[in-house]
Amino acid sequence: MPKKRVFISSRIEEMRDFREAAVRAIESASMEPIHFSTIDPQNFLKPDLEHLTELLDGVKSCDIFLGLYGQTLDSNWTPKGYAKHSMELEQETAESIGLRCLYYVEPLNVQCDHDMTKFRQQITQKAAEFLATPDELFRSLFAQLSQL
């Protein structure tokens, strides 16, 4: 039986420690982590429409979607011709195809930029958990994935 694949959506640098904890939890649950830089390792920082298609196909190839959302979205890549950032498009794609979606966001008392504040309002309506530490994320995520 093939491993379940978990797509990780997050800001690469801002959420690095949380992404690493998520990868450990996913691998500990005998699943395969997939994220922006695993889709096309040679060109993952080349934001163009062809890359957007590859990115969204990566989301569609997974069984579970994991959103790790920090404080910033304003500076996240917005593909040409789109009004939304790539992370928003990843999340919408996952929801539209009915993936099991797990969301973790910064606590409500943490200051976020304009676009993340709007996006976080949408996400928290979908039963998001709050981020505290990478270790807590690991424990929470591992527990959830172990039940799937």
Side-chain angles (χ1 to χ4, degrees):
M1 180 179 205
K3 287 184 177 184
K4 287 187 178 181
R5 295 166 46 104
V6 181
F7 189 91
I8 305 170
S9 176
S10 73
R11 297 289 311 245
I12 294 172
E13 289 302 318
E14 177 185 353
M15 302 303 291
R16 180 171 302 284
D17 293 342
F18 288 100
R19 283 172 68 97
E20 289 172 2
V23 167
R24 287 193 327 270
I26 292 164
E27 290 173 343
S28 294
S30 298
M31 296 181 185
E32 180 182 5
I34 304 296
H35 47 81
F36 196 65
S37 59
T38 62
I39 302 236
D40 185 0
Q42 300 302 314
N43 297 309
F44 84 94
L45 291 177
K46 185 177 124 190
D48 57 26
L49 291 180
E50 180 181 323
H51 190 74
L52 176 65
T53 300
E54 291 173 9
L55 184 62
L56 299 182
D57 286 346
V59 171
K60 293 173 188 174
S61 75
C62 289
D63 304 289
I64 301 163
F65 179 86
L66 172 63
L68 302 175
Y69 303 122
Q71 299 172 339
T72 60
L73 186 58
D74 288 353
S75 58
N76 186 245
W77 173 47
T78 300
K80 187 176 181 177
Y82 287 83
K84 295 186 177 185
H85 299 281
S86 60
M87 286 185 354
E88 294 171 291
L89 297 170
E90 292 167 0
Q91 184 269 337
E92 283 183 356
T93 298
E95 293 261 340
S96 73
I97 63 172
L99 289 185
R100 170 74 181 254
C101 295
L102 306 172
Y103 302 116
Y104 290 84
V105 298
E106 289 282 1
L108 294 175
N109 63 343
V110 172
Q111 183 67 33
C112 296
D113 68 23
H114 176 264
D115 289 348
M116 182 54 78
T117 299
K118 285 185 354 188
F119 186 52
R120 186 170 66 174
Q121 288 172 345
Q122 296 169 7
I123 296 300
T124 55
Q125 294 175 8
K126 302 175 187 291
E129 293 194 35
F130 294 107
L131 292 167
T133 67
D135 287 338
E136 288 182 22
L137 169 66
F138 173 87
R139 287 190 293 276
S140 172
L141 181 58
F142 179 72
Q144 287 190 66
L145 294 175
S146 295
Q147 295 176 2
L148 301 178

